[in-house]
PDB file of all heavy atoms in Angstrom:
ATOM      1  N   ASP A 168      15.698   2.347   6.542  1.00 80.00           N
ATOM      2  CA  ASP A 168      16.289   1.792   7.766  1.00 80.00           C
ATOM      3  C   ASP A 168      15.469   2.079   9.023  1.00 80.00           C
ATOM      4  O   ASP A 168      15.777   1.585  10.102  1.00 80.00           O
ATOM      5  CB  ASP A 168      17.728   2.285   7.939  1.00 80.00           C
ATOM      6  CG  ASP A 168      17.841   3.800   7.995  1.00 80.00           C
ATOM      7  OD1 ASP A 168      16.810   4.495   7.851  1.00 80.00           O
ATOM      8  OD2 ASP A 168      18.965   4.287   8.168  1.00 80.00           O
ATOM      9  N   GLN A 169      14.406   2.857   8.916  1.00 82.00           N
ATOM     10  CA  GLN A 169      13.540   3.138  10.058  1.00 82.00           C
ATOM     11  C   GLN A 169      12.236   2.336  10.005  1.00 82.00           C
ATOM     12  O   GLN A 169      11.298   2.611  10.738  1.00 82.00           O
ATOM     13  CB  GLN A 169      13.240   4.634  10.132  1.00 82.00           C
ATOM     14  CG  GLN A 169      14.498   5.443  10.384  1.00 82.00           C
ATOM     15  CD  GLN A 169      14.227   6.939  10.348  1.00 82.00           C
ATOM     16  OE1 GLN A 169      13.111   7.380  10.117  1.00 82.00           O
ATOM     17  NE2 GLN A 169      15.278   7.713  10.587  1.00 82.00           N
ATOM     18  N   GLY A 170      12.178   1.346   9.104  1.00 79.00           N
ATOM     19  CA  GLY A 170      11.014   0.474   9.026  1.00 79.00           C
ATOM     20  C   GLY A 170       9.836   1.024   8.252  1.00 79.00           C
ATOM     21  O   GLY A 170       8.738   0.485   8.327  1.00 79.00           O
ATOM     22  N   ARG A 171      10.061   2.094   7.495  1.00 90.00           N
ATOM     23  CA  ARG A 171       8.987   2.634   6.653  1.00 90.00           C
ATOM     24  C   ARG A 171       8.979   1.871   5.332  1.00 90.00           C
ATOM     25  O   ARG A 171      10.026   1.677   4.713  1.00 90.00           O
ATOM     26  CB  ARG A 171       9.183   4.126   6.405  1.00 90.00           C
ATOM     27  CG  ARG A 171       8.963   4.957   7.658  1.00 90.00           C
ATOM     28  CD  ARG A 171       9.045   6.433   7.344  1.00 90.00           C
ATOM     29  NE  ARG A 171      10.398   6.776   6.918  1.00 90.00           N
ATOM     30  CZ  ARG A 171      11.171   7.681   7.520  1.00 90.00           C
ATOM     31  NH1 ARG A 171      10.718   8.355   8.558  1.00 90.00           N
ATOM     32  NH2 ARG A 171      12.376   7.922   7.087  1.00 90.00           N
ATOM     33  N   VAL A 172       7.781   1.466   4.919  1.00 94.00           N
ATOM     34  CA  VAL A 172       7.631   0.692   3.686  1.00 94.00           C
ATOM     35  C   VAL A 172       6.832   1.518   2.679  1.00 94.00           C
ATOM     36  O   VAL A 172       5.806   2.102   3.023  1.00 94.00           O
ATOM     37  CB  VAL A 172       6.918  -0.658   3.954  1.00 94.00           C
ATOM     38  CG1 VAL A 172       6.707  -1.424   2.665  1.00 94.00           C
ATOM     39  CG2 VAL A 172       7.712  -1.488   4.945  1.00 94.00           C
ATOM     40  N   HIS A 173       7.327   1.548   1.452  1.00 95.00           N
ATOM     41  CA  HIS A 173       6.656   2.238   0.353  1.00 95.00           C
ATOM     42  C   HIS A 173       6.322   1.193  -0.703  1.00 95.00           C
ATOM     43  O   HIS A 173       7.206   0.488  -1.197  1.00 95.00           O
ATOM     44  CB  HIS A 173       7.566   3.321  -0.233  1.00 95.00           C
ATOM     45  CG  HIS A 173       6.945   4.086  -1.350  1.00 95.00           C
ATOM     46  ND1 HIS A 173       6.020   5.080  -1.139  1.00 95.00           N
ATOM     47  CD2 HIS A 173       7.102   3.998  -2.682  1.00 95.00           C
ATOM     48  CE1 HIS A 173       5.643   5.577  -2.292  1.00 95.00           C
ATOM     49  NE2 HIS A 173       6.293   4.935  -3.249  1.00 95.00           N
ATOM     50  N   VAL A 174       5.026   1.077  -1.029  1.00 96.00           N
ATOM     51  CA  VAL A 174       4.563   0.090  -1.998  1.00 96.00           C
ATOM     52  C   VAL A 174       4.000   0.827  -3.203  1.00 96.00           C
ATOM     53  O   VAL A 174       3.237   1.780  -3.051  1.00 96.00           O
ATOM     54  CB  VAL A 174       3.468  -0.820  -1.394  1.00 96.00           C
ATOM     55  CG1 VAL A 174       3.020  -1.869  -2.397  1.00 96.00           C
ATOM     56  CG2 VAL A 174       3.954  -1.469  -0.109  1.00 96.00           C
ATOM     57  N   GLN A 175       4.375   0.376  -4.396  1.00 96.00           N
ATOM     58  CA  GLN A 175       3.831   0.936  -5.623  1.00 96.00           C
ATOM     59  C   GLN A 175       2.971  -0.122  -6.309  1.00 96.00           C
ATOM     60  O   GLN A 175       3.425  -1.261  -6.497  1.00 96.00           O
ATOM     61  CB  GLN A 175       4.938   1.376  -6.573  1.00 96.00           C
ATOM     62  CG  GLN A 175       5.737   2.555  -6.059  1.00 96.00           C
ATOM     63  CD  GLN A 175       6.815   2.966  -7.036  1.00 96.00           C
ATOM     64  OE1 GLN A 175       7.445   2.130  -7.671  1.00 96.00           O
ATOM     65  NE2 GLN A 175       7.034   4.268  -7.162  1.00 96.00           N
ATOM     66  N   ILE A 176       1.746   0.273  -6.667  1.00 96.00           N
ATOM     67  CA  ILE A 176       0.840  -0.618  -7.389  1.00 96.00           C
ATOM     68  C   ILE A 176       0.249   0.131  -8.584  1.00 96.00           C
ATOM     69  O   ILE A 176       0.146   1.355  -8.563  1.00 96.00           O
ATOM     70  CB  ILE A 176      -0.292  -1.169  -6.485  1.00 96.00           C
ATOM     71  CG1 ILE A 176      -1.069  -0.045  -5.799  1.00 96.00           C
ATOM     72  CG2 ILE A 176       0.263  -2.143  -5.463  1.00 96.00           C
ATOM     73  CD1 ILE A 176      -2.252  -0.510  -4.951  1.00 96.00           C
ATOM     74  N   THR A 177      -0.109  -0.627  -9.602  1.00 94.00           N
ATOM     75  CA  THR A 177      -0.705  -0.060 -10.805  1.00 94.00           C
ATOM     76  C   THR A 177      -2.067  -0.707 -11.019  1.00 94.00           C
ATOM     77  O   THR A 177      -2.173  -1.931 -11.020  1.00 94.00           O
ATOM     78  CB  THR A 177       0.196  -0.320 -12.034  1.00 94.00           C
ATOM     79  OG1 THR A 177       1.427   0.368 -11.837  1.00 94.00           O
ATOM     80  CG2 THR A 177      -0.443   0.168 -13.319  1.00 94.00           C
ATOM     81  N   PRO A 178      -3.111   0.103 -11.217  1.00 92.00           N
ATOM     82  CA  PRO A 178      -4.438  -0.476 -11.452  1.00 92.00           C
ATOM     83  C   PRO A 178      -4.505  -1.165 -12.811  1.00 92.00           C
ATOM     84  O   PRO A 178      -3.795  -0.797 -13.746  1.00 92.00           O
ATOM     85  CB  PRO A 178      -5.368   0.732 -11.404  1.00 92.00           C
ATOM     86  CG  PRO A 178      -4.511   1.896 -11.744  1.00 92.00           C
ATOM     87  CD  PRO A 178      -3.134   1.563 -11.240  1.00 92.00           C
ATOM     88  N   THR A 179      -5.391  -2.150 -12.901  1.00 88.00           N
ATOM     89  CA  THR A 179      -5.589  -2.824 -14.189  1.00 88.00           C
ATOM     90  C   THR A 179      -6.222  -1.884 -15.202  1.00 88.00           C
ATOM     91  O   THR A 179      -6.045  -2.070 -16.395  1.00 88.00           O
ATOM     92  CB  THR A 179      -6.466  -4.079 -14.030  1.00 88.00           C
ATOM     93  OG1 THR A 179      -7.702  -3.716 -13.410  1.00 88.00           O
ATOM     94  CG2 THR A 179      -5.760  -5.140 -13.194  1.00 88.00           C
ATOM     95  N   TYR A 180      -6.957  -0.907 -14.725  1.00 84.00           N
ATOM     96  CA  TYR A 180      -7.479   0.158 -15.583  1.00 84.00           C
ATOM     97  C   TYR A 180      -7.788   1.360 -14.703  1.00 84.00           C
ATOM     98  O   TYR A 180      -8.011   1.209 -13.501  1.00 84.00           O
ATOM     99  CB  TYR A 180      -8.713  -0.294 -16.380  1.00 84.00           C
ATOM    100  CG  TYR A 180      -9.939  -0.552 -15.542  1.00 84.00           C
ATOM    101  CD1 TYR A 180     -10.910   0.427 -15.350  1.00 84.00           C
ATOM    102  CD2 TYR A 180     -10.123  -1.780 -14.918  1.00 84.00           C
ATOM    103  CE1 TYR A 180     -12.019   0.180 -14.566  1.00 84.00           C
ATOM    104  CE2 TYR A 180     -11.232  -2.028 -14.128  1.00 84.00           C
ATOM    105  CZ  TYR A 180     -12.177  -1.045 -13.965  1.00 84.00           C
ATOM    106  OH  TYR A 180     -13.270  -1.287 -13.185  1.00 84.00           O
ATOM    107  N   SER A 181      -7.805   2.546 -15.286  1.00 79.00           N
ATOM    108  CA  SER A 181      -8.092   3.755 -14.511  1.00 79.00           C
ATOM    109  C   SER A 181      -9.474   3.654 -13.896  1.00 79.00           C
ATOM    110  O   SER A 181     -10.425   3.267 -14.556  1.00 79.00           O
ATOM    111  CB  SER A 181      -8.031   4.996 -15.401  1.00 79.00           C
ATOM    112  OG  SER A 181      -6.721   5.188 -15.849  1.00 79.00           O
ATOM    113  N   GLY A 182      -9.572   3.993 -12.647  1.00 80.00           N
ATOM    114  CA  GLY A 182     -10.861   3.940 -11.960  1.00 80.00           C
ATOM    115  C   GLY A 182     -11.208   2.589 -11.395  1.00 80.00           C
ATOM    116  O   GLY A 182     -12.336   2.380 -10.953  1.00 80.00           O
ATOM    117  N   CYS A 183     -10.285   1.653 -11.381  1.00 84.00           N
ATOM    118  CA  CYS A 183     -10.559   0.317 -10.845  1.00 84.00           C
ATOM    119  C   CYS A 183     -10.966   0.443  -9.376  1.00 84.00           C
ATOM    120  O   CYS A 183     -10.196   0.937  -8.549  1.00 84.00           O
ATOM    121  CB  CYS A 183      -9.334  -0.569 -10.975  1.00 84.00           C
ATOM    122  SG  CYS A 183      -9.527  -2.196 -10.202  1.00 84.00           S
ATOM    123  N   PRO A 184     -12.177   0.004  -9.020  1.00 85.00           N
ATOM    124  CA  PRO A 184     -12.651   0.177  -7.649  1.00 85.00           C
ATOM    125  C   PRO A 184     -11.916  -0.688  -6.627  1.00 85.00           C
ATOM    126  O   PRO A 184     -11.967  -0.404  -5.441  1.00 85.00           O
ATOM    127  CB  PRO A 184     -14.127  -0.207  -7.730  1.00 85.00           C
ATOM    128  CG  PRO A 184     -14.219  -1.108  -8.903  1.00 85.00           C
ATOM    129  CD  PRO A 184     -13.172  -0.630  -9.873  1.00 85.00           C
ATOM    130  N   ALA A 185     -11.206  -1.691  -7.084  1.00 89.00           N
ATOM    131  CA  ALA A 185     -10.493  -2.579  -6.160  1.00 89.00           C
ATOM    132  C   ALA A 185      -9.225  -1.952  -5.589  1.00 89.00           C
ATOM    133  O   ALA A 185      -8.689  -2.430  -4.588  1.00 89.00           O
ATOM    134  CB  ALA A 185     -10.141  -3.896  -6.852  1.00 89.00           C
ATOM    135  N   MET A 186      -8.735  -0.865  -6.189  1.00 92.00           N
ATOM    136  CA  MET A 186      -7.455  -0.297  -5.761  1.00 92.00           C
ATOM    137  C   MET A 186      -7.483   0.206  -4.323  1.00 92.00           C
ATOM    138  O   MET A 186      -6.507   0.036  -3.591  1.00 92.00           O
ATOM    139  CB  MET A 186      -7.021   0.819  -6.717  1.00 92.00           C
ATOM    140  CG  MET A 186      -6.669   0.308  -8.109  1.00 92.00           C
ATOM    141  SD  MET A 186      -5.508  -1.084  -8.127  1.00 92.00           S
ATOM    142  CE  MET A 186      -4.010  -0.240  -7.723  1.00 92.00           C
ATOM    143  N   GLU A 187      -8.570   0.803  -3.896  1.00 94.00           N
ATOM    144  CA  GLU A 187      -8.648   1.271  -2.509  1.00 94.00           C
ATOM    145  C   GLU A 187      -8.617   0.088  -1.539  1.00 94.00           C
ATOM    146  O   GLU A 187      -7.972   0.147  -0.497  1.00 94.00           O
ATOM    147  CB  GLU A 187      -9.887   2.131  -2.290  1.00 94.00           C
ATOM    148  CG  GLU A 187      -9.794   3.504  -2.916  1.00 94.00           C
ATOM    149  CD  GLU A 187      -8.602   4.331  -2.424  1.00 94.00           C
ATOM    150  OE1 GLU A 187      -8.262   4.280  -1.219  1.00 94.00           O
ATOM    151  OE2 GLU A 187      -8.008   5.044  -3.258  1.00 94.00           O
ATOM    152  N   THR A 188      -9.307  -0.977  -1.890  1.00 95.00           N
ATOM    153  CA  THR A 188      -9.294  -2.184  -1.050  1.00 95.00           C
ATOM    154  C   THR A 188      -7.900  -2.784  -1.014  1.00 95.00           C
ATOM    155  O   THR A 188      -7.413  -3.175   0.052  1.00 95.00           O
ATOM    156  CB  THR A 188     -10.318  -3.216  -1.576  1.00 95.00           C
ATOM    157  OG1 THR A 188     -11.614  -2.624  -1.556  1.00 95.00           O
ATOM    158  CG2 THR A 188     -10.306  -4.480  -0.740  1.00 95.00           C
ATOM    159  N   ILE A 189      -7.244  -2.860  -2.160  1.00 95.00           N
ATOM    160  CA  ILE A 189      -5.877  -3.398  -2.214  1.00 95.00           C
ATOM    161  C   ILE A 189      -4.947  -2.537  -1.364  1.00 95.00           C
ATOM    162  O   ILE A 189      -4.130  -3.064  -0.602  1.00 95.00           O
ATOM    163  CB  ILE A 189      -5.383  -3.493  -3.671  1.00 95.00           C
ATOM    164  CG1 ILE A 189      -6.178  -4.568  -4.429  1.00 95.00           C
ATOM    165  CG2 ILE A 189      -3.883  -3.793  -3.720  1.00 95.00           C
ATOM    166  CD1 ILE A 189      -5.958  -4.569  -5.929  1.00 95.00           C
ATOM    167  N   SER A 190      -5.070  -1.226  -1.458  1.00 95.00           N
ATOM    168  CA  SER A 190      -4.238  -0.324  -0.663  1.00 95.00           C
ATOM    169  C   SER A 190      -4.451  -0.568   0.831  1.00 95.00           C
ATOM    170  O   SER A 190      -3.484  -0.702   1.596  1.00 95.00           O
ATOM    171  CB  SER A 190      -4.560   1.131  -1.020  1.00 95.00           C
ATOM    172  OG  SER A 190      -3.821   2.016  -0.221  1.00 95.00           O
ATOM    173  N   THR A 191      -5.703  -0.633   1.252  1.00 96.00           N
ATOM    174  CA  THR A 191      -6.023  -0.883   2.663  1.00 96.00           C
ATOM    175  C   THR A 191      -5.495  -2.242   3.106  1.00 96.00           C
ATOM    176  O   THR A 191      -4.910  -2.371   4.190  1.00 96.00           O
ATOM    177  CB  THR A 191      -7.548  -0.804   2.890  1.00 96.00           C
ATOM    178  OG1 THR A 191      -7.984   0.512   2.535  1.00 96.00           O
ATOM    179  CG2 THR A 191      -7.916  -1.095   4.330  1.00 96.00           C
ATOM    180  N   ASP A 192      -5.689  -3.258   2.266  1.00 97.00           N
ATOM    181  CA  ASP A 192      -5.204  -4.602   2.596  1.00 97.00           C
ATOM    182  C   ASP A 192      -3.681  -4.646   2.719  1.00 97.00           C
ATOM    183  O   ASP A 192      -3.134  -5.340   3.587  1.00 97.00           O
ATOM    184  CB  ASP A 192      -5.673  -5.620   1.552  1.00 97.00           C
ATOM    185  CG  ASP A 192      -7.178  -5.884   1.592  1.00 97.00           C
ATOM    186  OD1 ASP A 192      -7.853  -5.441   2.552  1.00 97.00           O
ATOM    187  OD2 ASP A 192      -7.677  -6.541   0.651  1.00 97.00           O
ATOM    188  N   LEU A 193      -2.981  -3.898   1.852  1.00 97.00           N
ATOM    189  CA  LEU A 193      -1.515  -3.834   1.937  1.00 97.00           C
ATOM    190  C   LEU A 193      -1.073  -3.201   3.251  1.00 97.00           C
ATOM    191  O   LEU A 193      -0.190  -3.720   3.942  1.00 97.00           O
ATOM    192  CB  LEU A 193      -0.942  -3.048   0.757  1.00 97.00           C
ATOM    193  CG  LEU A 193      -0.858  -3.778  -0.570  1.00 97.00           C
ATOM    194  CD1 LEU A 193      -0.628  -2.798  -1.713  1.00 97.00           C
ATOM    195  CD2 LEU A 193       0.253  -4.831  -0.519  1.00 97.00           C
ATOM    196  N   VAL A 194      -1.682  -2.076   3.597  1.00 97.00           N
ATOM    197  CA  VAL A 194      -1.337  -1.402   4.848  1.00 97.00           C
ATOM    198  C   VAL A 194      -1.621  -2.325   6.029  1.00 97.00           C
ATOM    199  O   VAL A 194      -0.778  -2.478   6.924  1.00 97.00           O
ATOM    200  CB  VAL A 194      -2.089  -0.060   4.978  1.00 97.00           C
ATOM    201  CG1 VAL A 194      -1.910   0.542   6.365  1.00 97.00           C
ATOM    202  CG2 VAL A 194      -1.614   0.933   3.911  1.00 97.00           C
ATOM    203  N   ASP A 195      -2.769  -2.955   6.044  1.00 97.00           N
ATOM    204  CA  ASP A 195      -3.129  -3.863   7.141  1.00 97.00           C
ATOM    205  C   ASP A 195      -2.156  -5.032   7.259  1.00 97.00           C
ATOM    206  O   ASP A 195      -1.694  -5.365   8.350  1.00 97.00           O
ATOM    207  CB  ASP A 195      -4.551  -4.402   6.962  1.00 97.00           C
ATOM    208  CG  ASP A 195      -5.626  -3.344   7.173  1.00 97.00           C
ATOM    209  OD1 ASP A 195      -5.306  -2.249   7.675  1.00 97.00           O
ATOM    210  OD2 ASP A 195      -6.788  -3.628   6.811  1.00 97.00           O
ATOM    211  N   ALA A 196      -1.834  -5.661   6.130  1.00 97.00           N
ATOM    212  CA  ALA A 196      -0.943  -6.831   6.146  1.00 97.00           C
ATOM    213  C   ALA A 196       0.458  -6.455   6.618  1.00 97.00           C
ATOM    214  O   ALA A 196       1.063  -7.167   7.430  1.00 97.00           O
ATOM    215  CB  ALA A 196      -0.883  -7.468   4.760  1.00 97.00           C
ATOM    216  N   LEU A 197       0.975  -5.341   6.132  1.00 95.00           N
ATOM    217  CA  LEU A 197       2.339  -4.945   6.492  1.00 95.00           C
ATOM    218  C   LEU A 197       2.430  -4.412   7.924  1.00 95.00           C
ATOM    219  O   LEU A 197       3.399  -4.709   8.630  1.00 95.00           O
ATOM    220  CB  LEU A 197       2.880  -3.942   5.478  1.00 95.00           C
ATOM    221  CG  LEU A 197       3.206  -4.575   4.107  1.00 95.00           C
ATOM    222  CD1 LEU A 197       3.290  -3.516   3.019  1.00 95.00           C
ATOM    223  CD2 LEU A 197       4.490  -5.386   4.190  1.00 95.00           C
ATOM    224  N   THR A 198       1.435  -3.649   8.380  1.00 95.00           N
ATOM    225  CA  THR A 198       1.482  -3.181   9.768  1.00 95.00           C
ATOM    226  C   THR A 198       1.260  -4.350  10.734  1.00 95.00           C
ATOM    227  O   THR A 198       1.871  -4.380  11.797  1.00 95.00           O
ATOM    228  CB  THR A 198       0.466  -2.048  10.033  1.00 95.00           C
ATOM    229  OG1 THR A 198      -0.834  -2.471   9.656  1.00 95.00           O
ATOM    230  CG2 THR A 198       0.847  -0.782   9.298  1.00 95.00           C
ATOM    231  N   SER A 199       0.441  -5.317  10.353  1.00 95.00           N
ATOM    232  CA  SER A 199       0.257  -6.509  11.194  1.00 95.00           C
ATOM    233  C   SER A 199       1.551  -7.313  11.315  1.00 95.00           C
ATOM    234  O   SER A 199       1.762  -8.004  12.307  1.00 95.00           O
ATOM    235  CB  SER A 199      -0.842  -7.410  10.624  1.00 95.00           C
ATOM    236  OG  SER A 199      -2.092  -6.779  10.727  1.00 95.00           O
ATOM    237  N   ALA A 200       2.392  -7.205  10.303  1.00 93.00           N
ATOM    238  CA  ALA A 200       3.681  -7.909  10.322  1.00 93.00           C
ATOM    239  C   ALA A 200       4.747  -7.121  11.077  1.00 93.00           C
ATOM    240  O   ALA A 200       5.895  -7.569  11.176  1.00 93.00           O
ATOM    241  CB  ALA A 200       4.138  -8.181   8.894  1.00 93.00           C
ATOM    242  N   GLY A 201       4.397  -5.922  11.599  1.00 90.00           N
ATOM    243  CA  GLY A 201       5.332  -5.171  12.424  1.00 90.00           C
ATOM    244  C   GLY A 201       5.940  -3.941  11.772  1.00 90.00           C
ATOM    245  O   GLY A 201       6.733  -3.241  12.403  1.00 90.00           O
ATOM    246  N   TYR A 202       5.598  -3.662  10.538  1.00 90.00           N
ATOM    247  CA  TYR A 202       6.131  -2.464   9.898  1.00 90.00           C
ATOM    248  C   TYR A 202       5.399  -1.246  10.459  1.00 90.00           C
ATOM    249  O   TYR A 202       4.174  -1.244  10.569  1.00 90.00           O
ATOM    250  CB  TYR A 202       6.006  -2.557   8.375  1.00 90.00           C
ATOM    251  CG  TYR A 202       6.894  -3.641   7.824  1.00 90.00           C
ATOM    252  CD1 TYR A 202       6.397  -4.917   7.575  1.00 90.00           C
ATOM    253  CD2 TYR A 202       8.244  -3.404   7.593  1.00 90.00           C
ATOM    254  CE1 TYR A 202       7.225  -5.928   7.098  1.00 90.00           C
ATOM    255  CE2 TYR A 202       9.076  -4.408   7.113  1.00 90.00           C
ATOM    256  CZ  TYR A 202       8.562  -5.668   6.868  1.00 90.00           C
ATOM    257  OH  TYR A 202       9.379  -6.663   6.407  1.00 90.00           O
ATOM    258  N   GLN A 203       6.158  -0.227  10.849  1.00 86.00           N
ATOM    259  CA  GLN A 203       5.611   0.928  11.562  1.00 86.00           C
ATOM    260  C   GLN A 203       4.835   1.893  10.672  1.00 86.00           C
ATOM    261  O   GLN A 203       3.811   2.411  11.077  1.00 86.00           O
ATOM    262  CB  GLN A 203       6.739   1.689  12.265  1.00 86.00           C
ATOM    263  CG  GLN A 203       7.477   0.857  13.289  1.00 86.00           C
ATOM    264  CD  GLN A 203       6.559   0.377  14.404  1.00 86.00           C
ATOM    265  OE1 GLN A 203       5.818   1.170  14.972  1.00 86.00           O
ATOM    266  NE2 GLN A 203       6.591  -0.909  14.711  1.00 86.00           N
ATOM    267  N   HIS A 204       5.338   2.148   9.491  1.00 94.00           N
ATOM    268  CA  HIS A 204       4.694   3.111   8.597  1.00 94.00           C
ATOM    269  C   HIS A 204       4.672   2.528   7.188  1.00 94.00           C
ATOM    270  O   HIS A 204       5.704   2.140   6.651  1.00 94.00           O
ATOM    271  CB  HIS A 204       5.443   4.443   8.601  1.00 94.00           C
ATOM    272  CG  HIS A 204       4.871   5.432   7.636  1.00 94.00           C
ATOM    273  ND1 HIS A 204       3.661   6.061   7.842  1.00 94.00           N
ATOM    274  CD2 HIS A 204       5.325   5.867   6.442  1.00 94.00           C
ATOM    275  CE1 HIS A 204       3.412   6.857   6.821  1.00 94.00           C
ATOM    276  NE2 HIS A 204       4.406   6.760   5.957  1.00 94.00           N
ATOM    277  N   VAL A 205       3.493   2.453   6.610  1.00 95.00           N
ATOM    278  CA  VAL A 205       3.334   1.904   5.260  1.00 95.00           C
ATOM    279  C   VAL A 205       2.569   2.918   4.425  1.00 95.00           C
ATOM    280  O   VAL A 205       1.531   3.417   4.850  1.00 95.00           O
ATOM    281  CB  VAL A 205       2.550   0.574   5.287  1.00 95.00           C
ATOM    282  CG1 VAL A 205       2.351   0.034   3.880  1.00 95.00           C
ATOM    283  CG2 VAL A 205       3.237  -0.456   6.178  1.00 95.00           C
ATOM    284  N   ASP A 206       3.117   3.259   3.267  1.00 95.00           N
ATOM    285  CA  ASP A 206       2.335   4.078   2.346  1.00 95.00           C
ATOM    286  C   ASP A 206       2.277   3.367   0.999  1.00 95.00           C
ATOM    287  O   ASP A 206       3.193   2.641   0.620  1.00 95.00           O
ATOM    288  CB  ASP A 206       2.877   5.505   2.227  1.00 95.00           C
ATOM    289  CG  ASP A 206       4.199   5.584   1.507  1.00 95.00           C
ATOM    290  OD1 ASP A 206       5.203   5.071   2.038  1.00 95.00           O
ATOM    291  OD2 ASP A 206       4.230   6.162   0.406  1.00 95.00           O
ATOM    292  N   VAL A 207       1.150   3.556   0.334  1.00 96.00           N
ATOM    293  CA  VAL A 207       0.899   2.913  -0.950  1.00 96.00           C
ATOM    294  C   VAL A 207       0.713   4.004  -1.998  1.00 96.00           C
ATOM    295  O   VAL A 207      -0.063   4.928  -1.800  1.00 96.00           O
ATOM    296  CB  VAL A 207      -0.351   2.008  -0.884  1.00 96.00           C
ATOM    297  CG1 VAL A 207      -0.621   1.369  -2.231  1.00 96.00           C
ATOM    298  CG2 VAL A 207      -0.185   0.942   0.205  1.00 96.00           C
ATOM    299  N   GLU A 208       1.439   3.870  -3.087  1.00 96.00           N
ATOM    300  CA  GLU A 208       1.376   4.834  -4.190  1.00 96.00           C
ATOM    301  C   GLU A 208       0.771   4.153  -5.415  1.00 96.00           C
ATOM    302  O   GLU A 208       1.168   3.041  -5.774  1.00 96.00           O
ATOM    303  CB  GLU A 208       2.791   5.325  -4.516  1.00 96.00           C
ATOM    304  CG  GLU A 208       2.870   6.241  -5.704  1.00 96.00           C
ATOM    305  CD  GLU A 208       4.308   6.573  -6.090  1.00 96.00           C
ATOM    306  OE1 GLU A 208       5.264   6.026  -5.513  1.00 96.00           O
ATOM    307  OE2 GLU A 208       4.463   7.404  -7.010  1.00 96.00           O
ATOM    308  N   PHE A 209      -0.180   4.834  -6.054  1.00 94.00           N
ATOM    309  CA  PHE A 209      -0.742   4.349  -7.304  1.00 94.00           C
ATOM    310  C   PHE A 209       0.109   4.895  -8.440  1.00 94.00           C
ATOM    311  O   PHE A 209       0.258   6.113  -8.578  1.00 94.00           O
ATOM    312  CB  PHE A 209      -2.194   4.799  -7.488  1.00 94.00           C
ATOM    313  CG  PHE A 209      -3.131   4.281  -6.425  1.00 94.00           C
ATOM    314  CD1 PHE A 209      -4.125   5.084  -5.921  1.00 94.00           C
ATOM    315  CD2 PHE A 209      -3.020   2.997  -5.924  1.00 94.00           C
ATOM    316  CE1 PHE A 209      -5.003   4.617  -4.948  1.00 94.00           C
ATOM    317  CE2 PHE A 209      -3.879   2.517  -4.952  1.00 94.00           C
ATOM    318  CZ  PHE A 209      -4.868   3.329  -4.463  1.00 94.00           C
TER     319      PHE A 209
END
């Protein structure tokens, strides 16, 4: 209720180099949409 968003994602395989980019892109997209705090969990 305070606008904090928690996102869970699973890599296609352990060590997938795209996961950091996906995490950053998620934070950027959600904060750009007005969400105050976004955390991404693998």
